[in-house]
């Protein structure tokens, strides 16, 4: 628990004091994460909580912040940690001054004990509040709110290329002054031996010849550095030439923006020579990506200080008498976290909080922090851009980004200090349009889930306790920038002991039906106003298996169909590997306001075929352990199909750590048993085995299964020796159907018999039975 920022403090006067607070409020949390990483991750139940005092809304109201914005970086840091370490739970909590220390402690304890995947939480006036970005389209309106003029003096940090160069073009009004600040000095005229060469290979040769003429033998990496430096310098020279030809007075200064003496001297010189600053665009930043456990503290400081120290210096140096615009360029890495960018995410989220602080401090100045998605012309590496693409965030074309900034400058409103800008996969808009979101214009109150069961008031629940229909979920679904929903889930023997009863070839294998249940519970949690009624077209793409002494993480992600009516809602769902994004399972989940009325089975009992001893069927034909041995009778096994009696699984044996009256949506045990009886038939009649490859449809007609034995009526629809398709009804003694499996497909082979044979040998049965 990192509680250092929970204090009412005034903004410091000096950079030295500011750095003391950033060390205490932000950087110390990073050092704690590094120091405790092994312990936090080893248990699978590690938790990290960071708290602040910014008014309960993370500064997003008109009320002044009681504390400093320096504690806000924990949002970016812990969201990044949660991506890199999904097994560790993360919380950030913001308070106002209305709560006593004891009440704050109670809130913190409740957050640590609440199974909730929300990371960013506020407690204004003690009311638990969550924050989501909301779309906020700009509409061209008259009059224009703010427009660069010929007398403006504009300061842009971040150099003369990339994102800052693109937006600088907006200020190219003839007669205006544009002052650009970059890390290096303005590049000199290019030497003759490389001038005019555009081919990269030819440039490498030119630098090699230059080095040899000086008696040097450079390494390839040095040649590459020189080539990239030349291309950077060319871009800067070309941009400066273009800006000057537009009739604008252009200055370029090579200054380290986090160096207090030189940056201060520059700002003072600007006021001495020009007498004013009308606009500041703060785009300076560097990236040095590494995972948290590998991150060097000096590197963290460089990345963090470049953004955070310089924005503090600007806040103390600029004069608001003439200032009309103070725009800060941040990143969605701060808003949502990003793998390998803990320092960058922390810095950007700190700047978001500083932006809100200044918005209150300077009511006459338009203050905004734009959390940009990656730019196609930005400094993000290809690897980082690929990470964003995998999460549905598409790099922004430069022209689109420039247009976004121009429109926001013209038509944006005061008090919108934290924006999210990006192009997101699956949007209904044109691909080139950058979408505008307010990071938290609307905060919706959310009640903390109670720690004890909800008591019934005559609702018919057994024992008067409401069933827990989501016992598998140890995290809660999260909404992503592209409007998809995701959930991280861990399979491990400690929480899933049924795995020992579904193992072969030395590995635990998660039953396909358990993956179906995970998808169903995920969708039910994400869209709670509907009921999961049916799973359609579930495909087994790559089964999930892992050694018994390890655990396995998956990412479940879903997206609602673009259309829905009052009768149904369709959700596309995948279970994927969180690192490779390779899918394990894919399905469509159909939700309805209420479950459909249960039909009666159309299948009459079989009249042909032979009975099979259910107890002997497991060692003879199957490989399932005790918890999955749910077939009690097999009165008929024939060419036409199988009649069987099954018992529902005992959920307390499958998930012993779950309390509060747990109930399955689709009992994965009884669904697996429905497939087991098909396996018995294949082995008994054809001496081959099958593995499920697709479930065409699994329909749920009841909120929960009765605890008594149920009838399973399996009928074969097609079989060609290598591929089988079956239908199965699971019903009670009256024929009322509880579950219906349509078009269950399996791939068949004699080679798969080895699974049963190995199981027999491992469990002391004879190899032949």
């Amino acid at each position: 628990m990192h509680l250092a920022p929970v204090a009412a403090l005034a903004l410091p006067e000096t950079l030295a004091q500011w750095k003391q607070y950033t060390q205490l409020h932000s950087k110390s949390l990073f050092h704690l994460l590094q120091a405790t990483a092994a312990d936090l991750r080893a248990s699978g139940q590690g938790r990290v909580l960071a708290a602040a005092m910014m008014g309960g809304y993370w500064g997003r109201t008109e009320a002044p912040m009681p504390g400093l914005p320096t504690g806000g970086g924990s949002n970016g840091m812990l969201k990044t940690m949660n991506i890199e370490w999904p097994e560790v739970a993360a919380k950030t909590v913001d308070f106002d001054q209305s709560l006593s220390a004891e009440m704050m402690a109670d809130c913190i304890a409740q957050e640590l004990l609440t199974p909730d995947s929300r990371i960013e939480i506020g407690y204004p006036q003690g009311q638990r509040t969550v924050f989501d970005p909301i779309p906020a389209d700009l509409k061209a309106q008259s009059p224009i709110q703010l427009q660069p003029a010929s007398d403006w003096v504009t300061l842009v940090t971040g150099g003369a290329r990339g994102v800052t160069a693109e937006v600088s073009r907006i200020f190219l009004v003839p007669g205006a002054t544009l002052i650009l600040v970059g890390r290096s000095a303005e590049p000199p005229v290019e030497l003759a031996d490389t001038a005019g060469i555009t081919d990269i290979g030819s440039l490498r040769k030119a630098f090699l010849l230059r080095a040899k003429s000086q008696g040097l033998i450079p390494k390839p990496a040095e040649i590459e550095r020189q080539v990239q430096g030349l291309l950077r310098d060319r871009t800067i020279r070309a941009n400066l030439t273009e800006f000057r030809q537009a009739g604008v007075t252009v200055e370029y200064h090579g200054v380290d923006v986090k160096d207090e003496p030189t940056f201060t001297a520059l700002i003072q010189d600007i006021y001495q020579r020009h007498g004013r600053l009308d606009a500041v665009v703060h785009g300076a930043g560097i990236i040095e990506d590494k995972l948290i456990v590998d991150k060097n503290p000096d590197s963290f400081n460089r990345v963090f200080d470049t953004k955070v120290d310089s924005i503090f210096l600007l806040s103390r140096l600029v004069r608001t008498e003439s200032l009309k615009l103070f725009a800060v360029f941040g990143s969605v890495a701060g808003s949502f976290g990003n793998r390998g960018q803990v320092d960058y995410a922390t810095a950007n989220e700190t700047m978001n909080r500083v932006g809100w602080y200044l918005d209150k401090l300077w009511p006459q100045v338009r203050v905004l922090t734009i959390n940009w998605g990656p730019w196609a012309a930005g400094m993000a590496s290809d690897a980082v851009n690929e990470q964003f693409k995998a999460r549905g965030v598409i790099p922004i074309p430069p022209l689109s980004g420039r247009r976004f900034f121009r429109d926001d400058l013209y038509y944006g409103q005061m008090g919108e200090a934290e924006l999210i800008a990006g192009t997101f996969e699956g949007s209904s808009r044109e691909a080139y349009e950058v979408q505008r979101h307010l990071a938290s214009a609307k905060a919706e109150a959310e009640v903390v889930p109670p720690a004890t069961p909800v008591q019934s008031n005559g609702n018919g629940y057994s024992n008067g306790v409401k069933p827990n229909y989501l016992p598998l979920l140890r995290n809660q679904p999260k909404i992503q920038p592209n409007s998809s929903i995701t959930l991280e889930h861990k399979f491990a023997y400690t929480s899933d002991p049924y795995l020992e009863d579904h193992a072969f070839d030395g590995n635990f294998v998660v039953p396909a039906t358990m993956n179906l249940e995970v998808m169903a519970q995920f969708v039910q949690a994400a869209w709670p106003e509907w009921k999961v009624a049916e799973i359609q077209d579930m495909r087994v793409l790559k089964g999930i298996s892992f050694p018994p002494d390890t655990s396995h993480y998956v990412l479940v992600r879903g997206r609602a169909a673009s259309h829905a009516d009052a009768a149904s809602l369709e959700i596309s769902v995948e279970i994927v590997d969180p690192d490779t994004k390779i899918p394990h399972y894919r399905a469509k989940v159909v939700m309805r306001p209420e479950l459909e009325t249960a039909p009666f089975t159309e299948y009459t009992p079989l009249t042909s075929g032979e009975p099979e001893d259910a107890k002997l069927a497991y060692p003879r034909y199957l490989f399932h352990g005790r918890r999955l041995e749910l077939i009690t009778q097999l009165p008929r096994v024939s060419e036409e199909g199988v009649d069987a009696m099954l018992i529902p699984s005992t959920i307390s044996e499958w998930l012993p750590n779950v309390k509060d009256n747990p109930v399955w949506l689709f009992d994965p045990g009884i669904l697996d048993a429905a497939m087991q009886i098909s396996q018995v038939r294949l082995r008994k009649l054809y001496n081959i085995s099958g593995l499920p490859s697709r479930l065409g449809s699994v329909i749920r007609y009841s909120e929960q299964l009765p605890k008594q034995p149920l009838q399973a009526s399996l009928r074969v629809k097609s079989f060609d020796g290598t591929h089988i398709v079956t239908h199965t009804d699971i019903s009670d003694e009256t024929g009322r159907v509880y579950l219906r499996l349509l078009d269950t497909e399996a791939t068949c082979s004699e080679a798969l018999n080895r699974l049963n044979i190995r199981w027999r040998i491992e469990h002391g049965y004879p190899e032949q039975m």
Side-chain angles (χ1 to χ4, degrees):
M1 289 182 289
H2 180 65
L3 309 181
V6 185
L9 296 165
L11 194 70
E13 293 292 329
T14 68
L15 179 62
Q17 293 170 333
W18 174 258
K19 291 177 78 70
Q20 288 178 345
Y21 284 122
T22 59
Q23 178 67 39
L24 180 65
H25 293 172
S26 286
K27 295 178 183 179
S28 64
L29 177 56
F30 163 70
H31 296 303
L32 284 169
L33 292 183
Q34 284 200 320
T36 58
D39 286 346
L40 286 170
R41 303 181 71 183
S43 69
Q45 299 195 23
R47 301 186 181 206
V48 180
L49 181 144
M53 184 176 280
M54 299 184 198
Y57 290 99
W58 295 100
R60 300 173 176 126
T61 63
E62 295 179 359
M65 289 186 190
L68 290 179
T70 46
S74 59
N75 279 324
M77 188 181 298
L78 294 193
K79 288 173 183 176
T80 296
M81 183 207 75
N82 195 241
I83 293 170
E84 294 185 19
W85 307 346
E87 68 274 25
V88 180
K91 294 277 186 177
T92 63
V93 184
D94 183 35
F95 295 107
D96 58 20
Q97 291 178 289
S98 68
L99 300 185
S100 65
E102 292 78 10
M103 294 172 70
M104 291 183 194
D106 287 342
C107 293
I108 288 170
Q110 186 67 53
E111 290 297 337
L112 288 169
L113 297 171
T114 300
D116 181 326
S117 65
R118 289 284 189 172
I119 294 178
E120 187 177 341
I121 308 295
Y123 276 91
Q125 302 295 311
Q127 174 63 62
R128 188 177 195 261
T129 305
V130 298
F131 307 92
D132 290 313
I134 62 171
D137 294 342
L138 280 175
K139 295 181 180 179
Q141 52 190 311
S142 182
I144 289 175
Q145 302 295 304
L146 196 60
Q147 183 174 11
S150 60
D151 61 345
W152 273 30
V153 178
T154 300
L155 172 68
V156 179
T157 71
R161 64 192 186 101
V163 175
T164 50
E166 287 297 330
V167 300
S168 293
R169 289 174 168 83
I170 295 166
F171 300 95
L172 298 182
V173 180
T177 299
L178 179 64
I179 302 169
L180 298 163
V181 177
R183 278 183 290 168
S184 56
E186 182 172 348
V189 176
E190 186 174 342
L191 296 178
D193 60 346
T194 58
I197 300 176
T198 57
D199 177 69
I200 297 297
S202 299
L203 281 174
R204 293 190 181 107
K205 291 178 182 178
F207 279 113
L208 184 60
L209 289 173
R210 182 187 294 177
K212 288 182 177 179
S213 70
Q214 298 170 353
L216 303 174
I217 304 176
K219 295 181 179 179
E222 174 62 20
I223 294 293
E224 197 62 30
R225 186 189 65 78
Q226 292 176 341
V227 169
Q228 295 304 316
L230 175 69
L231 297 176
R232 178 196 64 224
D233 289 349
R234 283 180 177 178
T235 301
I236 293 173
R237 279 193 298 268
N239 286 334
L240 292 177
T241 299
E242 176 191 343
F243 296 167
R244 287 166 178 148
Q245 290 174 347
V248 175
T249 300
V250 178
E251 299 178 15
Y252 183 92
H253 299 271
V255 171
D256 183 350
V257 294
K258 67 180 185 296
D259 182 82
E260 183 178 16
T262 55
F263 196 37
T264 299
L266 172 63
I267 303 299
Q268 291 174 342
D269 179 63
I270 291 172
Y271 279 111
Q272 183 175 356
R273 290 185 294 109
H274 299 287
R276 61 192 290 177
L277 263 176
D278 297 272
V280 172
V281 177
H282 182 41
I286 61 173
I287 54 174
E288 299 178 9
D289 294 355
K290 288 284 186 182
L291 297 176
I292 293 171
V293 294
D294 300 324
K295 188 69 186 176
N296 181 282
D298 290 337
S299 174
F300 185 102
N301 290 341
R302 282 192 298 274
V303 174
F304 182 89
D305 293 350
T306 297
K307 282 185 170 290
V308 176
D309 285 359
S310 56
I311 195 174
F312 172 79
L313 287 173
L314 283 169
S315 74
R316 310 309 292 178
L317 293 170
V318 297
R319 304 171 189 174
T320 57
E321 294 83 3
S322 63
L323 192 64
K324 303 171 184 64
L325 173 70
F326 190 85
V328 180
F329 284 2
S331 168
V332 291
S335 303
F336 305 110
N338 199 41
R339 180 181 174 85
Q341 293 192 313
V342 63
D343 43 11
Y344 194 62
T346 306
N348 281 292
E349 188 63 4
T350 302
M351 292 203 307
N352 277 327
R353 303 307 128 225
V354 174
W356 281 108
Y357 191 99
L358 296 178
D359 183 66
K360 302 171 183 61
L361 188 65
W362 303 339
Q364 75 279 23
V365 180
R366 173 83 199 283
V367 178
L368 72 154
T369 302
I370 302 179
N371 292 267
W372 292 107
W375 278 56
M379 62 181 179
S381 65
D382 291 341
V384 170
N385 279 336
E386 286 303 314
Q387 289 182 43
F388 278 119
K389 287 180 181 178
R391 295 163 68 186
V393 183
I394 311 303
I396 298 169
L399 182 61
S400 301
R402 190 198 317 166
R403 184 175 62 187
F404 177 96
F405 184 73
R406 180 204 64 197
D407 290 348
D408 216 281
L409 180 62
Y410 284 8
Y411 304 114
Q413 303 294 311
M414 294 286 194
E416 296 180 342
E418 186 181 0
L419 302 178
I420 297 171
T423 54
F424 303 111
E425 192 177 57
S427 168
S428 60
R429 303 184 185 188
E430 296 294 333
Y432 58 76
E433 184 175 359
V434 183
Q435 293 141 56
R436 182 179 191 269
H437 290 71
L438 291 179
S440 186
K442 180 183 179 182
E444 296 183 356
E446 179 179 271
V447 178
V448 180
T452 55
V454 177
Q455 296 301 312
S456 167
N457 291 318
N459 58 13
Y461 296 131
S462 60
N463 301 321
V465 180
K466 182 179 180 179
N468 172 11
Y469 286 108
L470 308 174
L472 274 170
L473 302 191
R474 300 164 194 114
N475 298 309
Q476 288 298 310
K478 301 177 183 178
I479 187 167
Q480 301 299 333
N482 63 349
S483 299
S484 66
I485 309 292
T486 62
L487 176 137
E488 291 156 345
H489 184 76
K490 181 179 78 169
F491 292 106
Y493 175 71
T494 53
S495 54
D496 304 276
Y498 62 86
L499 289 168
E500 69 179 350
D501 296 323
H502 199 265
F504 46 79
D505 290 343
N507 289 322
F508 288 154
V509 179
V510 182
T513 55
M514 179 55 78
N515 286 286
L516 179 148
E517 181 70 13
V518 167
M519 289 193 285
Q521 291 190 25
F522 158 71
V523 170
Q524 188 62 73
W527 286 271
E529 65 275 16
W530 297 78
K531 292 183 179 181
V532 172
E534 183 178 358
I535 309 292
Q536 294 181 349
D537 195 26
M538 176 177 164
R539 295 182 180 271
V540 183
L541 304 174
K542 185 178 185 293
I544 300 172
S545 64
F546 54 95
D549 58 347
T550 65
S551 57
H552 189 85
Y553 292 88
V554 296
L555 180 70
V556 192
R557 60 189 184 192
R559 185 190 297 276
S562 58
H563 63 279
D565 53 37
S568 66
L569 173 68
E570 295 182 356
I571 314 293
S572 297
V573 188
E574 285 185 322
I575 297 179
V576 303
D577 183 287
D579 294 321
T580 67
K581 298 301 184 289
I582 295 174
H584 291 290
Y585 289 85
R586 182 176 293 144
K588 182 168 67 176
V589 180
V590 178
M591 308 191 79
R592 303 186 190 281
E594 296 294 337
L595 300 182
E596 294 181 325
T597 302
F600 286 88
T601 184
E602 301 173 357
Y603 302 129
T604 57
L606 295 170
T607 57
S608 61
E610 298 179 355
E612 176 67 36
D613 188 321
K615 290 184 179 180
L616 290 178
Y618 282 96
R620 275 182 181 160
Y621 305 127
L622 303 167
F623 58 84
H624 302 77
R626 176 181 59 83
R627 296 174 186 84
L628 279 84
E629 292 179 353
L630 304 177
I631 307 172
T632 59
Q633 297 179 41
L634 288 161
R636 295 285 182 180
V637 180
S638 73
E639 294 279 350
E640 186 180 349
V642 182
D643 284 343
M645 294 297 293
L646 315 176
I647 55 173
S649 62
T650 304
I651 194 169
S652 61
E653 293 185 351
W654 284 53
L655 305 173
N657 298 330
V658 178
K659 309 301 180 184
D660 300 345
N661 193 27
V663 175
W664 300 118
L665 295 178
F666 298 84
D667 183 337
I670 210 163
L671 290 181
D672 194 87
M675 298 181 189
Q676 294 171 24
I677 62 177
S678 178
Q679 175 84 341
V680 169
R681 176 184 171 278
L682 289 170
R683 283 295 306 276
K684 183 178 178 68
L685 300 183
Y686 308 107
N687 194 35
I688 60 175
S689 297
L691 283 180
S693 58
R694 176 178 177 270
L695 281 75
S697 175
V698 183
I699 307 171
R700 171 177 175 244
Y701 294 107
S702 175
E703 297 282 356
Q704 61 189 90
L705 297 181
K707 295 183 179 180
Q708 71 224 38
L710 297 171
Q711 299 175 162
S713 305
L714 179 145
R715 299 297 181 262
V716 178
K717 295 304 173 184
S718 66
F719 176 58
D720 61 7
T722 61
H723 182 259
I724 187 171
V725 180
T726 61
H727 291 352
T728 307
D729 275 356
I730 297 174
S731 57
D732 62 18
E733 60 184 7
T734 70
R736 177 177 180 257
V737 176
Y738 284 84
L739 293 168
R740 173 166 283 172
L741 292 78
L742 303 176
D743 295 319
T744 302
E745 301 180 18
T747 301
C748 310
S749 168
E750 186 176 352
L752 294 172
N753 292 352
R754 67 182 174 83
L755 302 177
N756 167 252
I757 294 171
R758 285 190 182 183
W759 185 89
R760 286 206 297 260
I761 293 172
E762 290 171 359
H763 290 78
Y765 290 92
E767 186 170 339
Q768 300 293 330
M769 289 188 67

